[in-house]
């Protein structure tokens, strides 16, 4: 069904309006053509036919496809090229602020080879194009405390203005295993990094509670299964913890359709939500298509979408003066579309 709330003019304006995205994985932004070229360059057969590359049955198969893709990359030069493609994608969508998660456990490159070329490209894109870019190194749920400490120590010793947060992602089906990461997340917070965690996707509401109480999250990636616990929804609303929601992604891995997704209930309960794509290349979506799809599914107006964008500005880990300028830009440009 097409939304009665978005006019054709508004629908097409969404692509060019300035936007913010906070839940986007570096690994999930690599386009199939780049993957084919990387595989060809080292004579690796494709894991599946290109057209079936992103047909996965569940989150675990999806995550192992990411491992396979990332293992095709063997040089800093390739990382720079992938970072430039990502910046081009963001510019094409007029995403003016993005915070990008990268999980080094998917990659065979060392932290010293993987992270500096991305940070250098982000700094270049900020000064050349005025895009606000943050990198959020992420530990995988399957990893150990020592891995988390090693990643955090790298972040602390390689402090960089575009290194803005610390994250945990991956699957919680083998258990949330949150206890062992308490020390690393405490130290990350003390060193000034924003804290975010994937929870309430492959875990239920207890995973969200653990992320709040044990990891001290500033915001949640997904978090949507908080809907299973009304008391938890009230707590999230009262504490103003934002949820970086990815409806299309959840409709691959979690819910059968947009109709079954709890975004409308979360909004009705007063939770701060933002709209994101998670892994746009793998899902063959982009932020503009996602915003239109969400508006159509839940009868949201352009004003509602503007508010979701402002929520993302509020939840971003970038400096406060940057946030004030982004909020002004979004308010002005989104309000000018009638
Ligand atoms: N890494 C990339 N996408 C993810 C997701 N949806 N859940 C957990 N880890 C991820
Ligand atoms: Zn994610």
């Amino acid at each position: 069904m097409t939304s009665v709330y978005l006019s054709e003019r508004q629908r097409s304006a969404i692509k060019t309006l300035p936007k913010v995205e906070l839940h986007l994985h570096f690994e999930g932004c690599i386009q199939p053509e780049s993957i084919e070229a990387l595989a060809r360059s080292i004579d690796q057969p494709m894991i599946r036919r290109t057209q079936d590359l992103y047909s996965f049955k569940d989150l675990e198969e999806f995550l192992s496809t990411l491992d396979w893709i990332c293992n095709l990359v063997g040089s800093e030069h390739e990382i720079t090229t992938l970072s430039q493609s990502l910046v081009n994608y963001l510019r094409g969508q007029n995403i003016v602020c993005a915070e990008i998660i990268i999980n080094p456990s998917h990659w065979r490159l060392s932290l010293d080879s993987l992270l500096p070329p991305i940070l250098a490209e982000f700094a270049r894109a900020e000064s050349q194009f005025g895009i606000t870019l943050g990198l959020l190194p992420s530990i995988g749920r399957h990893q150990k405390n020592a891995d988390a400490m090693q990643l955090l120590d790298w972040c602390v010793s390689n402090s960089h203005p575009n290194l803005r947060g610390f994250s945990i992602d991956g699957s919680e089906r083998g258990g949330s295993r949150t206890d062992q990461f308490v020390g690393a997340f405490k130290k990350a917070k003390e060193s000034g990094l924003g804290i975010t965690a994937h929870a309430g996707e492959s875990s239920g509401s207890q995973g969200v509670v653990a992320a709040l109480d044990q990891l001290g999250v500033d915001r949640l990636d997904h978090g949507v299964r908080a809907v299973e616990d009304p008391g938890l929804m009230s707590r999230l609303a009262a504490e103003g913890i934002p949820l970086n929601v990815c409806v299309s992604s959840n409709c691959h891995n979690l819910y059968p359709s947009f109709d079954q997704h709890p975004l409308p209930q979360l909004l009705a309960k007063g939770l701060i939500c933002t709209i994101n794509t998670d892994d746009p290349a793998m899902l063959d979506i982009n932020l503009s298509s996602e915003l239109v799809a969400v508006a159509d599914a839940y009868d949201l107006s352009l004003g509602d979408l503007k508010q979701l964008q402002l929520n993302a500005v509020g939840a971003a880990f970038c400096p406060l003066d940057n946030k004030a300028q982004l909020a002004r830009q979004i308010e002005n440009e989104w309000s000018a579309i009638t």
Side-chain angles (χ1 to χ4, degrees), residues 327-338:
R328 272 195 304 276
Q329 182 183 11
I330 286 178
E331 184 61 56
N332 291 341
E333 296 193 33
W334 282 70
S335 304
I337 306 294
T338 48

Side-chain angles (χ1 to χ4, degrees), residues 24-167:
L24 189 62
H25 297 261
F26 190 90
E27 296 88 0
C29 291
I30 306 176
Q31 296 296 332
E33 312 80 71
S34 306
I35 296 167
E36 277 184 332
L38 285 164
R40 219 178 305 118
S41 73
I42 52 168
D43 283 331
Q44 264 259 7
M46 292 292 282
I47 188 174
R48 293 190 276 286
R49 293 184 312 168
T50 306
Q51 62 268 41
D52 299 332
L53 189 60
Y54 299 144
S55 316
F56 36 87
K57 66 175 187 314
D58 55 23
L59 182 60
E60 287 67 29
E61 191 173 281
F62 165 78
L63 295 170
S64 56
T65 304
L66 291 184
D67 287 339
W68 179 81
I69 295 169
C70 297
N71 272 289
L72 299 173
V73 179
S75 73
E76 294 179 29
H77 173 70
E78 287 165 341
I79 294 293
T80 298
T81 306
L82 293 175
S83 307
Q84 287 165 345
S85 305
L86 171 56
V87 168
N88 286 341
Y89 161 74
L90 298 171
R91 292 185 67 217
Q93 285 288 307
N94 200 15
I95 294 177
V96 290
C97 168
E99 294 186 351
I100 289 125
I101 299 162
I102 183 155
N103 180 335
S105 76
H106 288 300
W107 302 80
R108 70 181 151 105
L109 289 175
S110 67
L111 297 179
D112 285 332
S113 298
L114 178 64
L115 302 179
I118 304 175
L119 289 165
E121 276 313 305
F122 282 12
R124 196 180 60 80
E126 271 201 353
S127 65
Q128 194 173 346
F129 308 122
I131 315 180
T132 301
L133 287 171
L135 191 66
L136 316 179
S138 192
I139 194 81
R141 277 283 173 189
H142 62 283
Q143 290 190 274
K144 299 193 171 65
N145 174 46
D147 302 315
M149 282 299 185
Q150 187 200 10
L151 181 59
L152 179 63
D153 287 343
W154 191 94
C155 294
V156 172
S157 353
N158 294 274
S159 149
H160 186 285
N162 295 88
L163 206 48
R164 300 219 164 110
F166 197 66
S167 149

Side-chain angles (χ1 to χ4, degrees), residues 23 25 101 169 198 221-222 246 278-279:
H23 183 168
H25 297 261
I101 299 162
D169 67 346
H198 277 60
D221 291 316
H222 301 296
C246 308
D278 212 6
D279 300 285

Side-chain angles (χ1 to χ4, degrees), residues 179-300:
D179 302 22
Q180 61 171 329
F181 299 120
V182 169
F185 278 79
K186 184 164 179 282
K187 201 169 158 199
K189 194 161 225 174
E190 285 163 2
S191 43
L193 294 167
I195 305 293
T196 187
H198 277 60
E201 179 199 33
S202 51
S203 62
S205 56
Q206 81 291 346
V208 174
V209 173
L212 290 168
D213 291 343
Q214 298 189 292
L215 303 181
V217 290
D218 298 301
R219 64 189 199 212
L220 287 156
D221 291 316
H222 301 296
V224 290
R225 288 182 61 191
V227 76
E228 295 165 18
D229 177 348
L232 177 58
M233 281 201 287
S234 306
R235 175 178 175 190
L236 290 167
E239 293 182 15
I241 302 287
L243 266 52
N244 291 333
V245 177
C246 308
V247 178
S248 290
S249 168
N250 292 160
C251 292
H252 257 82
N253 293 325
L254 192 54
Y255 300 109
S257 68
F258 269 53
D259 290 349
Q260 316 275 315
H261 193 281
L263 179 66
Q265 285 131 280
L266 298 167
L267 291 173
K269 270 275 187 178
L271 272 76
I272 300 170
C273 294
T274 72
I275 302 298
N276 307 271
T277 56
D278 212 6
D279 300 285
M282 301 196 71
L283 299 166
D284 197 18
I285 59 173
N286 56 57
L287 186 56
S288 308
S289 69
E290 185 69 4
L291 288 169
V292 170
V294 165
D296 283 350
Y298 309 121
D299 279 348
L300 303 183

